[in-house]
Amino acid sequence: MFFMNLVWQRFTLSSFPLKEYLATSYVHRFLVGLLSSWRQTSVLIQWGDATAAALLSLVYALAPFTSSTLIGLLLVACVAFWLLLTLSDEATPANVSSVTPIHLLVLLYWGVAAIATALSPVKKAALNDLGTLTLYLLLFALCARILRSPRLRSWIIILYLHVSLIVSVYGLRQWFFGATALATWVDPESPLSKTTRVYSYLGNPNLLAGYLLPAVIFSLVAIFAWQSWIKKALALTMLIVNTACLILTFSRGGWIGLVVAILAVMALLVYWKSVEMPRFWRTWSLPIVLGGLIGILLLAVIFVEPVRLRVFSIFADRQDSSNNFRRNVWDAVFEMIRDRPIFGIGPGHNSFNQVYPLYQRPRYTALSAYSILFEVTVETGFVGLACFLWLIIVTFNTAFIQMRRLRRLRSVEGFWLIGAIAILLGMLAHGTVDTVWYRPEVNTLWWLIVALIASYWTPLAQNQTNSSNLESTVN
């Protein structure tokens, strides 16, 4: 058992001596602090974290309402400011400890993507998309830095929840007053072909479902994290409105993600509360809660016809036009992976759009692989897929370790980690059959959640010491 634990710690980088490594890293010592003398006289940098939080606020406030071009410009501004902050930082132990195992895996994934770009058959397109990927990964770095502040972390989450509430209210308005379908989102031969699928400001019901999934889970855990009854009532309102709007997208991938996320968050909430429960409820609360949720889902499938039709269409294979489309796209994607299995064709949709037509089935044009795992594999090969899965495992491991630490301290901050774990699971479940994950509205949220987990990280050797200090502060 000790050997297995040691192997797991090494694999997840839990015991990796980051502080010592960075202290001896020539590149880190040369870059970090390069402009530290300027920091003392610059008003902008002295208010650096607040300014960075303002830039992030613009990204998450405008994402559902504006074009991808404007979001791209805001991401460039965020990256430029992150670089400025990093160069003007002082090489203190606090700044060194802000680098986490998640950062290392993100950097490794970028390195694999860069190699895939160099080996791509469409290098110009791949290089352009590598730039886009770099923006998202550095957005993660800035978010991880800013979210270390509990006050700024709370502000970003509250901002996103209020923006998502506006988006959901407009979506519900479309349901009650009708909305013109902007594309063929349902099999025309299906009984649901005339059903309104809300899309709010995002123009696509599947994209709206992907955007609202984190809002549903965050609003649920906010009921426990927020202390006053007025705030709890607001969180409950957000939960009801966001959930209703997500359901009315009739996005099967969104529903799958919602079910996975809800089951995960309820299981983690039961685990969190189990230390306060009598022995009977400690044993049976999880089966009762999960069994009840599954029972409600089965009743909805049995008695609510639109839900039943949409759920059964998942298993219709090629008899459903959407399923048939994906199957034909996946057949072509498998051939692309077979021809370039190691490092793929290069990152991004531009690379995909130039290579996919060589493999596509007649009349089945596509902009992506319609699955995150397939997309990662076709872009960066099995090396990139292995790195991506390693990143996911390290992220979840970090979240669980820090959640257990905060559970021991009875800190309400742990509820946001519970929400983050459930959101990532839900987004991955949705992404198994769709690629809205690559759209800016959703991709920026994904890296926000990963950064939220990274912001809680403490070295394994320091967990006990930090827990004792935090416990003293709480008491």
Side-chain angles (χ1 to χ4, degrees), residues 174 180-186 195-213 245-255 310 430 434 436 439 442:
Q174 289 179 331
T180 303
L182 303 181
T184 305
W185 291 315
V186 182
T195 300
T196 298
R197 296 185 61 188
V198 302
Y199 49 82
S200 190
Y201 297 99
L202 284 83
N204 183 314
N206 296 327
L207 179 57
L208 176 61
Y211 177 81
L212 289 180
L213 178 60
C245 188
L246 192 156
I247 292 173
L248 293 176
T249 63
F250 286 89
S251 167
R252 295 175 298 176
W255 286 3
R310 266 321 251 172
H430 184 182
D434 209 339
V436 296
R439 297 286 295 273
V442 177

Side-chain angles (χ1 to χ4, degrees), residues 128-447:
N128 179 69
D129 288 329
L130 179 65
T132 302
L133 175 64
T134 303
L135 291 179
Y136 285 123
L137 299 186
L138 291 180
L139 173 70
F140 154 78
L142 181 62
C143 287
R145 175 193 178 103
I146 298 307
L147 295 181
R148 282 184 292 159
S149 164
R151 181 174 57 86
L152 296 179
R153 181 191 305 138
S154 177
W155 162 252
I156 295 295
I157 293 174
I158 291 172
L159 173 68
Y160 164 63
L161 284 176
H162 281 81
V163 171
S164 66
L165 182 61
I166 296 171
V167 171
S168 293
V169 168
Y170 185 64
L172 293 180
R173 183 183 183 279
Q174 289 179 331
W175 172 257
F176 288 112
F177 296 101
T180 303
L182 303 181
T184 305
W185 291 315
V186 182
D187 187 339
E189 298 180 0
S190 167
L192 294 176
S193 59
K194 302 299 182 182
T195 300
T196 298
R197 296 185 61 188
V198 302
Y199 49 82
S200 190
Y201 297 99
L202 284 83
N204 183 314
N206 296 327
L207 179 57
L208 176 61
Y211 177 81
L212 289 180
L213 178 60
V216 172
I217 302 304
F218 269 150
S219 55
L220 175 57
V221 297
I223 297 174
F224 299 91
W226 291 347
Q227 298 303 299
S228 72
W229 286 105
I230 294 178
K231 291 181 179 179
K232 291 180 183 293
L234 175 61
L236 179 61
T237 302
M238 290 175 169
L239 174 63
I240 295 172
V241 173
N242 289 329
T243 304
C245 188
L246 192 156
I247 292 173
L248 293 176
T249 63
F250 286 89
S251 167
R252 295 175 298 176
W255 286 3
I256 292 172
L258 179 64
V259 170
V260 170
I262 290 292
L263 292 176
V265 77
M266 294 307 296
L268 291 171
L269 286 173
V270 169
Y271 167 76
W272 182 274
K273 293 290 186 180
S274 62
V275 293
E276 306 170 3
M277 295 179 181
R279 177 174 297 180
F280 173 83
W281 289 107
R282 193 180 305 162
T283 304
W284 293 103
S285 57
L286 184 59
I288 291 173
V289 169
L290 296 185
L293 290 173
I294 294 173
I296 293 172
L297 177 62
L298 291 176
L299 289 175
V301 171
I302 294 171
F303 294 106
V304 182
E305 184 179 15
V307 174
R308 181 170 65 253
L309 293 173
R310 266 321 251 172
V311 170
F312 283 176
S313 70
I314 296 175
F315 307 100
D317 199 28
R318 291 186 181 271
Q319 296 178 11
D320 180 86
S321 63
S322 180
N323 294 352
N324 185 55
F325 179 84
R326 281 170 168 77
R327 288 287 300 276
N328 281 285
V329 172
W330 289 344
D331 287 342
V333 166
F334 293 153
E335 292 184 11
M336 296 168 67
I337 295 172
R338 180 197 62 196
D339 289 347
R340 302 185 71 88
I342 308 302
F343 284 104
I345 64 172
H349 69 278
N350 287 322
S351 302
F352 187 92
N353 290 340
Q354 292 193 21
V355 177
Y356 174 78
L358 303 176
Y359 296 85
Q360 78 173 60
R361 305 309 189 249
R363 298 182 294 107
Y364 289 97
T365 59
L367 299 177
S368 64
Y370 284 92
S371 171
I372 290 176
L373 298 180
F374 294 163
E375 187 75 28
V376 170
T377 308
V378 79
E379 290 182 2
T380 56
F382 286 108
V383 174
L385 177 63
C387 182
F388 180 75
L389 293 177
W390 192 10
L391 169 62
I392 297 300
I393 293 171
V394 169
T395 301
F396 279 125
N397 182 70
T398 300
F400 280 118
I401 290 175
Q402 301 309 318
M403 183 191 69
R404 288 199 300 266
R405 176 176 65 86
L406 294 172
R407 177 174 176 258
R408 291 195 301 268
L409 301 172
R410 307 292 178 86
S411 171
V412 294
E413 290 292 325
F415 290 115
W416 300 121
L417 273 176
I418 289 175
I421 294 170
I423 289 168
L424 292 189
L425 286 171
M427 294 179 79
L428 286 171
H430 184 182
T432 303
V433 293
D434 209 339
T435 42
V436 296
W437 186 78
Y438 287 94
R439 297 286 295 273
E441 299 88 344
V442 177
N443 210 331
T444 51
L445 287 175
W446 168 272
W447 291 114

